[in-house]
Amino acid sequence: MDDRQIEILVNSFWPMLEAGIRFTIPLAIFSFIIGLILAVLTALARLSGVKILDFIARFYIWIIRGTPLIVQLAIIFYGLPTIGIELDPFPAALIGFSLSVGAYGSEIVRAAIQSIHKGQWEAAYSLGMTRGQALRRIILPQAARVSLPPLSNSFISLVKDTSLAGTVTYVELFRKSQEIVATTYEYLLVYSEAAVIYLIFTSILSFFQNKLEKRLGRSSAD
């Protein structure tokens, strides 16, 4: 590695790290929060026993899971303006990622709810609770614990998937690396550095995920 490459590494590290902290992580967090709300609502619709709600939920999951995320982002950012709906890069990316999290997360949440023993429902009903009260007070708290590991993995994957936001001109970490490559032509060097930064982010998140799972494991054992 020559002096020029070392200089490029040093000069490009902070702009990419800053883009990751200021844009990549917030996009992932907000998308995950909104997507998780969608996931719970979609899962409840699937389990409601109401045919129209079940159909809408299934159709939504079918569309999102059956088409590439990059195509969905392109439709939202480039396609919607043709019918008069124009969105800035951040809300366009936010909508796309939230819909994706909601569709995939709904299956995790639904499976977690179904894993709760029927006796929990019966115990709640015997205490005079309605179905809604049983869900809020008994079922969902237990389902949240069951769904934590796969949902945590989904969030970590989402952090990596935000690299697709560059396709809608949102200047996150990977988009910043592309801008640097456009001026330095050091493709392998800069993209490898971007990969290292993503690895740092995901390693930190995995560390906290393991800590949280261990804490929940201890509390459930108690």
Side-chain angles (χ1 to χ4, degrees), residues 17 27 36 52 58 77 84 104 125 135-136 150 157 160 201:
L17 181 63
L27 175 60
L36 190 56
I52 184 63
R58 286 176 181 272
F77 187 71
Y104 286 94
Y125 293 148
L135 266 173
R136 291 194 306 272
S157 295
K160 295 180 290 183
F201 286 155

Side-chain angles (χ1 to χ4, degrees), residues 192-207:
S192 296
E193 188 175 29
V196 169
I197 296 174
Y198 276 113
L199 186 60
I200 291 171
F201 286 155
T202 56
S203 296
I204 293 172
L205 291 171
S206 295
F207 172 79

Side-chain angles (χ1 to χ4, degrees), residues 73 76-77 81 85-95 165 168-170:
L73 291 170
I76 293 169
F77 187 71
I85 303 174
E86 295 188 13
L87 296 170
D88 290 332
F90 178 75
L94 182 65
I95 291 171
V168 296
T169 71
Y170 183 69

Side-chain angles (χ1 to χ4, degrees), residues 24 26 30 34 41 87 104 126 143 148 170 202 204 211 215 219:
T24 297
F30 288 125
I34 297 172
L41 294 176
L87 296 170
Y104 286 94
S126 68
L148 177 64
Y170 183 69
T202 56
I204 293 172
K211 287 286 187 182
R215 177 171 293 183
S219 62

Side-chain angles (χ1 to χ4, degrees), residues 67-82 85-87 89 92-93 95-97 164-169:
T67 56
L69 178 56
I70 193 170
V71 175
Q72 297 164 19
L73 291 170
I75 290 173
I76 293 169
F77 187 71
Y78 297 106
L80 291 182
T82 63
I85 303 174
E86 295 188 13
L87 296 170
I95 291 171
F97 289 120
L164 295 175
T167 60
V168 296
T169 71

